[in-house]
Amino acid sequence: MSDDKNKIRFWAKTGASLELWHPLQLHMLDVAVAAEAILAREPGKTRQHMAEILDLPWDQALPWFLVIIASHDLGKACPAFQLKAWDKERIQSMGLKVRPNVNTKMNHGFASQIFLSDFLIEKGWNDSLADLVADAVGCHHGERAAPVNLESLRYDEKSLGGTDWQSARKEIFENLCVLFRAKSIPKKKTLSGPDFMLLSGLTSFADWIGSNEEWFSFGTSENCDHLSAWIQKRRPFAERALNIIGWLPREPLQREPRSFSDVFGKKYSPRPLQDAVAQVVSSVESPCILLIEAPMGEGKTEAAFYAHLEMQRRFGHRGLYIALPTKATGNAMFSRTLDFLQKFDENRQLDLQLLHGASSLNDTFQNLRFQGIHVEDGNGGIRAGEWFTHKKRALLSDYGVGTVDQALLTILPVRHYFVRLWGLANRVVVFDEIHAYDAYTGTLLIDLIRWLLALDSSVILLSATVPPAIRRFLAAAVRGTLSDVEASYPRVSVFQKGCPVEQKHFEADFRLRRKIKLAAVAPDIEMIQKNLKERLVSGGFALALLNTVQRAQDLYAVFPAGTPIVAHDVVVGKRLEDQTEVYLFHARYPADQRQVREDNALRIFGKDGIREGRKILIATQVAEQSLDLDFDFMISDLAPVDLILQRAGRLWRHLRENRPVPEPCLMVAGLDAETPPDFNEPLWWGAVYREDILLRTWFILKHRDPIKLPDDIDKLVNCVYEDAMDLPPSLRDRIDKAAMTEEGEIFAHKNMAHQAIIGFPEDASWNNPSVFAKADEDDPGLHSSLVARTRLDEGSVLAIPLFPKDRFEPLSVPDFQMAKSWFLRSMSLSRKGVVKRLQTIGVPEGWKKSALLRNCIPLLLDEAGYWVENPSVRLDGFLGLVYAKKEGL
């Protein structure tokens, strides 16, 4: 083969001076060799799926992928793009015609799509396959071309040029085919949704690597005379770039099967749950859904870690992502995942990312970013590569922990959603605390699982328990069948495509079996306080878990003033005259103060806390999930039965001698009367939870004492969620009335979720290029209809409380240290009136230029903490943000 001697040299990138430019032909090859290096580092399973996209053997498919991905910028070879940097005379000197009034704002990716499709069809490709392959490549800047816009561009000869331009483009394309030896014509007729996502995601990733001028320096026009030599020269550049960002070969953490004790230490004795998971994982034959339902404290997280190791080893998965319901639970899991990965980092380097909006506040993650954890010889260690900290790239890292929202964005129509989805492909993805999601987010989760399975990922779901409907949904998602008679709780369920659901029962850890006395208390704040004092006469640790921040603040306030308890300059509680310590923990504190309170709660009420004296934690749902807290006595507001059981799991959680109370006791506020309370004002429980579920829970708990953990968990959940109870007529009427409203909302929210996503992987619904790309962050300047929503809340803003001493200036751009110190105070506020007023105020001009503050709004306070816009809102050093009027959330 002779190298390209065509003297038409288009530019692809320019330097500070327009005389410094990188030829298009060379840039296209740069991106191709980047894709080649990426694919070489992928597991064999990924390459196998990529080959199936074209239905060719890998050695015949790879050349075409390199041609296709190189052609991503073929659209730059047209007048509309070339005139962005060069004048008409320079272009005409190459023998190309340029017409007047060319629109230089044309999207060159969409032009690439037109040219590549035409050239592939000329080569003999099926029309549908060529169109979709070209579409996957053409959207590398984040959005697909709407058909109407594409058709309009196709006939815009001013922008695309005439036959002379087409001949030049055709020569570039034919040279690519010769250079990469692309010969065998695919027999495939079209692309599926998963095929499209893999190709489009890989193209964008390769383009990001090959376009970085630090790694791929500019070539010259003379280099275009020796394209084969250029490819050989640039291959080491691609390898070096991937090494720099930490995108190393995707190899399993272990190559041979190991026991639980081998993984977690010889002193570790696996629990029945973990033995059951090990047996199940050893028998599955392909990527699947693993649902682990077990009581709190049984070791579900360690079981998930172990299952990930075996699935990664057996199925060629490239890594792990763990998704949690909140930032706080994500932070806790990040530390546990880091500890786990350090067992495998001696001879290799691993990348671990924390994915949520407040990751900059997590000291463990920040230390990992700037220092890393390395062994002495420098050959291994764990790092958080800077390149992956960009929100669009984070899921490309091999290991990650974050919120479920980051995972759900992969199937919402945000820019570059297909890159995020490519990042989760062929991974093990763990969703913890899955009972925590409402109908909208839960539906998104099921839809995401469908995509993950279609992309060869395995999914692990963890929960204390889930309603039977969830298992039915999962069976439907894989088109499997669920037996009418299920295995007893606790259990592991395996969902595989088109197969009956396999379930395995295991015995709960006998050390965690306990009877919990159930008692009633009136929902009055004073009665809750009275019972807390009476039950702790001999000392002990108690939790009062209230459904709203307002009630938690009110309960804390009725305890008499005492000596402030301070931790890290934050007042976290008070010590009363009788030496009782009372602590308050909820979500309506500035972020740094909330973190101190969370750390303090774990230190005092956690597994290793010193159990002395009389201590009370007053909290909201922030203490309900993922925090390893242990109490002697508990009072809880009425909540859905599965959440009541989740809360009860914090009672006598760990084996201890000489507890100061004779037995674990859970008092439920609202069970005292002969009829259920009004769930509206002043309780506002109905604004938090479904009324029909609260009523069923009230009835079943009213007539039950004690609760046996874990024996009663499945029975109680089935009774409430399957409505398997013989109810009195008066209560049945109230439940039916509430259910009509609730079921209508649930149906609407599920439908909204289905409409919000990019489509489904099994049909053609994903192939809708006209879908409007939404913003993927909560930008206060955007209407909610323009933002991709992973949750259906009332709308929230990220506010920064500022006092006069902060000397806030709207037009001033804070330096990094100032911006960081302010961002550490951030609060997510959702009260409608407050949100509306803050959105009217908007992001200050100076903050729009700050990476940390550009999505935040100042909450300006006077010296006493009152909001200058509305003094009914006050930031209290003890209570957090206080609203003068009662509210539901």
Side-chain angles (χ1 to χ4, degrees):
M1 168 213 160
S2 60
D3 277 336
D4 173 26
K5 298 297 181 182
N6 174 23
K7 294 305 178 184
I8 296 179
R9 305 299 184 218
F10 299 116
W11 68 273
K13 300 166 68 67
T14 62
S17 166
L18 294 183
E19 294 306 312
L20 179 63
W21 56 283
H22 189 40
L24 174 60
Q25 292 92 323
L26 303 186
H27 169 66
M28 294 169 71
L29 295 179
D30 289 345
V31 174
V33 298
E36 183 181 41
I38 292 167
L39 288 168
R41 296 186 180 204
E42 278 287 299
K45 185 66 173 292
T46 301
R47 291 191 291 273
Q48 177 186 336
H49 194 149
M50 293 295 295
E52 291 169 357
I53 290 177
L54 300 182
D55 195 17
L56 290 173
W58 176 245
D59 61 344
Q60 297 175 27
L62 177 60
W64 276 118
F65 285 127
L66 300 184
V67 170
I68 291 164
I69 292 171
S71 299
H72 76 290
D73 269 356
L74 197 57
K76 289 183 175 180
C78 67
F81 185 85
Q82 292 301 307
L83 285 170
K84 289 175 180 286
W86 287 353
D87 57 33
K88 180 178 178 180
E89 289 71 23
R90 180 168 184 170
I91 297 171
Q92 287 179 330
S93 69
M94 294 188 291
L96 297 171
K97 298 178 182 178
V98 179
R99 298 174 64 179
N101 302 319
V102 173
N103 177 20
T104 58
K105 295 182 179 180
M106 175 210 72
N107 187 313
H108 69 267
F110 299 165
S112 298
Q113 180 175 342
I114 293 171
F115 305 145
L116 178 59
S117 176
D118 290 346
F119 294 153
L120 291 176
I121 290 172
E122 288 179 22
K123 283 285 187 183
W125 286 46
N126 177 276
D127 288 13
S128 176
L129 180 65
D131 286 344
L132 284 173
V133 164
D135 189 352
V137 168
C139 65
H140 63 276
H141 284 297
E143 296 181 61
R144 297 178 67 184
V148 62
N149 296 334
L150 205 63
E151 193 65 16
S152 176
L153 179 60
R154 177 178 289 277
Y155 296 104
D156 184 359
E157 189 172 325
K158 284 186 179 180
S159 297
L160 303 186
T163 55
D164 49 346
W165 288 85
Q166 185 72 348
S167 296
R169 291 188 290 262
K170 181 68 177 295
E171 186 167 353
I172 292 172
F173 176 79
E174 291 295 344
N175 276 336
L176 290 174
C177 294
V178 173
L179 284 165
F180 292 118
R181 297 180 174 85
K183 299 176 182 178
S184 302
I185 305 303
K187 300 294 190 295
K188 195 83 174 284
K189 300 299 183 184
T190 189
L191 290 186
S192 68
D195 295 342
F196 184 93
M197 302 308 161
L198 288 176
L199 181 54
S200 56
L202 173 62
T203 301
S204 291
F205 183 15
D207 187 38
W208 291 345
I209 299 297
S211 297
N212 190 305
E213 295 171 20
E214 293 183 13
W215 306 326
F216 289 85
S217 55
F218 283 7
T220 65
S221 180
E222 289 72 23
N223 293 129
C224 295
D225 294 331
H226 308 284
L227 295 181
S228 294
W230 184 259
I231 292 173
Q232 296 303 320
K233 177 182 178 181
R234 301 299 255 198
R235 279 176 172 143
F237 286 47
E239 298 292 339
R240 178 174 175 271
L242 294 180
N243 289 340
I244 289 173
I245 68 173
W247 209 87
L248 304 180
R250 271 32 190 164
E251 298 174 347
L253 291 179
Q254 61 180 31
R255 299 209 175 262
E256 300 296 331
R258 297 167 64 190
S259 69
F260 253 92
S261 297
D262 288 338
V263 172
F264 294 99
K266 293 299 183 182
K267 296 181 179 180
Y268 189 94
S269 178
R271 296 177 175 178
L273 175 154
Q274 296 158 346
D275 280 334
V277 168
Q279 293 174 30
V280 167
V281 171
S282 67
S283 64
V284 295
E285 298 297 329
S286 61
C288 62
I289 303 172
L290 200 67
L291 170 62
I292 304 175
E293 296 174 86
M296 297 63 70
E298 286 277 357
K300 292 189 290 293
T301 299
E302 288 76 17
F305 283 147
Y306 183 83
H308 142 259
L309 288 176
E310 276 299 285
M311 289 175 164
Q312 183 188 55
R313 181 185 68 83
R314 296 185 60 220
F315 305 140
H317 293 315
R318 51 149 76 129
L320 172 71
Y321 181 72
I322 305 178
L324 297 110
T326 65
K327 296 172 186 176
T329 54
N331 288 339
M333 185 61 73
F334 181 80
S335 296
R336 295 179 70 177
T337 305
L338 176 59
D339 291 341
F340 170 73
L341 291 178
Q342 284 179 271
K343 303 176 188 297
F344 303 91
D345 70 347
E346 292 184 0
N347 300 310
R348 59 185 295 181
Q349 190 178 89
L350 303 174
D351 194 272
L352 174 63
Q353 296 291 323
L354 178 61
L355 286 75
H356 61 60
S359 61
S360 60
L361 307 182
N362 185 286
D363 290 339
T364 303
F365 175 61
Q366 292 305 313
N367 290 337
L368 206 60
R369 280 185 62 195
F370 298 117
Q371 298 177 18
I373 298 175
H374 300 277
V375 295
E376 291 183 1
D377 61 10
N379 294 324
I382 301 174
R383 55 174 273 178
E386 184 68 23
W387 193 83
F388 295 108
T389 59
H390 189 284
K391 62 184 180 181
K392 291 182 181 179
R393 306 171 188 156
L395 287 175
L396 296 177
S397 173
D398 43 355
Y399 294 92
V401 177
T403 58
V404 69
D405 309 81
Q406 298 300 317
L408 294 176
L409 282 172
T410 62
I411 60 166
L412 295 178
V414 298
R415 288 179 61 84
H416 285 111
Y417 66 86
F418 39 82
V419 180
R420 291 177 160 111
L421 198 51
W422 189 87
L424 286 187
N426 195 17
R427 295 268 288 270
V428 177
V429 185
V430 178
F431 296 96
D432 198 3
E433 307 279 8
I434 63 167
H435 60 271
Y437 305 118
D438 61 13
Y440 178 82
T441 302
T443 301
L444 291 181
L445 177 58
I446 297 295
D447 292 341
L448 171 59
I449 289 171
R450 292 163 65 177
W451 274 103
L452 293 175
L453 290 178
L455 289 164
D456 300 321
S457 295
S458 287
V459 177
I460 303 174
L461 306 174
L462 308 179
S463 183
T465 184
V466 296
I470 297 296
R471 295 189 290 277
R472 293 195 290 269
F473 288 145
L474 292 172
V478 298
R479 298 181 180 178
T481 54
L482 182 66
S483 172
D484 293 334
V485 180
E486 297 192 74
S488 300
Y489 178 91
R491 61 183 156 250
V492 179
S493 303
V494 182
F495 302 81
Q496 299 183 83
K497 296 177 184 176
C499 299
V501 178
E502 299 178 15
Q503 293 186 322
K504 183 178 181 61
H505 164 72
F506 54 88
E507 292 298 324
D509 191 327
F510 72 93
R511 294 167 296 181
L512 297 175
R513 288 185 175 277
R514 55 208 187 275
K515 289 182 180 180
I516 294 178
K517 180 175 177 55
L518 197 61
V521 64
D524 305 47
I525 292 299
E526 291 75 12
M527 289 302 298
I528 293 175
Q529 182 210 26
K530 179 177 181 291
N531 277 272
L532 285 169
K533 292 169 63 177
E534 290 176 351
R535 296 281 179 155
L536 298 183
V537 170
S538 300
F541 285 23
L543 171 65
L545 205 158
L546 291 309
N547 287 342
T548 69
V549 174
Q550 180 76 57
R551 282 175 58 78
Q553 291 172 330
D554 290 347
L555 178 57
Y556 184 82
V558 298
F559 281 93
T563 304
I565 301 174
V566 179
H568 301 287
D569 299 324
V570 174
V571 177
V572 294
K574 54 189 174 183
R575 183 177 291 107
L576 310 182
E577 289 184 359
D578 64 358
Q579 298 306 304
T580 301
E581 294 178 10
V582 185
Y583 298 89
L584 181 62
F585 177 35
H586 57 71
R588 210 188 290 158
Y589 285 104
D592 52 354
Q593 294 185 28
R594 174 178 169 174
Q595 188 62 53
V596 171
R597 282 171 172 78
E598 180 180 320
D599 294 342
N600 184 70
L602 284 167
R603 179 180 61 83
I604 295 174
F605 300 98
K607 180 179 180 180
D608 300 321
I610 299 174
R611 312 292 287 196
E612 294 179 351
R614 185 186 299 108
K615 296 179 174 62
I616 299 170
L617 177 64
I618 300 170
T620 58
Q621 292 87 341
V622 293
E624 185 177 89
Q625 299 166 356
S626 294
L627 299 180
D628 188 0
L629 304 176
D630 181 13
F631 300 93
D632 303 309
F633 169 69
M634 183 185 303
I635 296 180
S636 169
D637 278 347
L638 182 69
V641 68
D642 49 330
L643 301 185
I644 288 289
L645 294 168
Q646 180 83 2
R647 296 172 185 184
R650 268 66 181 160
L651 272 172
W652 291 42
R653 182 179 177 115
H654 298 293
L655 296 177
R656 301 185 190 277
E657 295 182 356
N658 303 319
R659 286 190 184 259
V661 298
E663 61 182 342
C665 177
L666 170 63
M667 299 192 78
V668 178
L671 288 185
D672 59 307
E674 291 304 312
T675 58
D678 184 347
F679 298 138
N680 297 310
E681 190 176 0
L683 294 178
W684 294 112
W685 296 347
V688 183
Y689 302 117
R690 287 176 50 182
E691 183 175 355
D692 59 328
I693 299 298
L694 287 176
L695 290 169
R696 293 190 192 116
T697 300
W698 179 90
F699 179 79
I700 200 167
L701 295 183
K702 180 75 174 174
H703 300 88
R704 193 174 198 95
D705 179 41
I707 295 177
K708 297 177 183 178
L709 294 183
D711 305 57
D712 290 344
I713 290 178
D714 212 32
K715 302 172 193 173
L716 294 175
V717 171
N718 283 353
C719 282
V720 170
Y721 282 93
E722 299 292 287
D723 198 11
M725 293 181 287
D726 185 13
L727 297 166
S730 60
L731 188 58
R732 169 57 66 188
D733 289 344
R734 185 173 169 186
I735 288 175
D736 288 345
K737 183 178 179 181
M740 287 181 62
T741 301
E742 298 290 354
E743 288 170 5
E745 285 190 1
I746 289 171
F747 179 82
H749 291 172
K750 287 182 177 180
N751 189 55
M752 288 173 66
H754 288 318
Q755 295 299 319
I757 66 171
I758 56 175
F760 302 105
E762 306 91 353
D763 55 31
S765 59
W766 64 270
N767 189 18
N768 183 7
S770 299
V771 172
F772 175 74
K774 296 188 175 184
D776 58 353
E777 59 189 353
D778 189 14
D779 187 337
L782 292 177
H783 189 273
S784 61
S785 63
L786 304 179
V787 179
R789 302 172 71 182
T790 57
R791 307 188 191 225
L792 274 189
D793 52 26
E794 294 294 329
S796 62
V797 296
L798 202 60
I800 309 291
L802 295 174
F803 293 88
K805 64 182 180 181
D806 290 311
R807 301 183 182 280
F808 164 70
E809 294 291 341
L811 300 180
S812 176
V813 181
D815 61 29
F816 178 78
Q817 289 303 323
M818 178 64 74
K820 182 179 180 181
S821 69
W822 286 355
F823 188 74
L824 285 168
R825 306 177 191 174
S826 59
M827 307 174 68
S828 181
L829 305 183
S830 58
R831 191 172 190 180
K832 290 182 180 179
V834 175
V835 168
K836 185 176 181 179
R837 181 59 187 149
L838 286 171
Q839 288 176 331
T840 301
I841 294 171
V843 180
E845 288 300 317
W847 287 15
K848 291 178 180 179
K849 301 175 183 178
S850 167
L852 286 174
L853 301 177
R854 61 190 179 88
N855 291 321
C856 303
I857 300 176
L859 183 75
L860 298 180
L861 309 171
D862 64 20
E863 292 181 355
Y866 290 92
W867 188 22
V868 298
E869 297 286 335
N870 184 347
S872 69
V873 178
R874 173 174 60 93
L875 182 59
D876 184 277
F878 295 88
L879 302 176
L881 197 71
V882 178
Y883 300 129
K885 296 179 180 179
K886 304 234 178 220
E887 59 149 0
L889 298 176

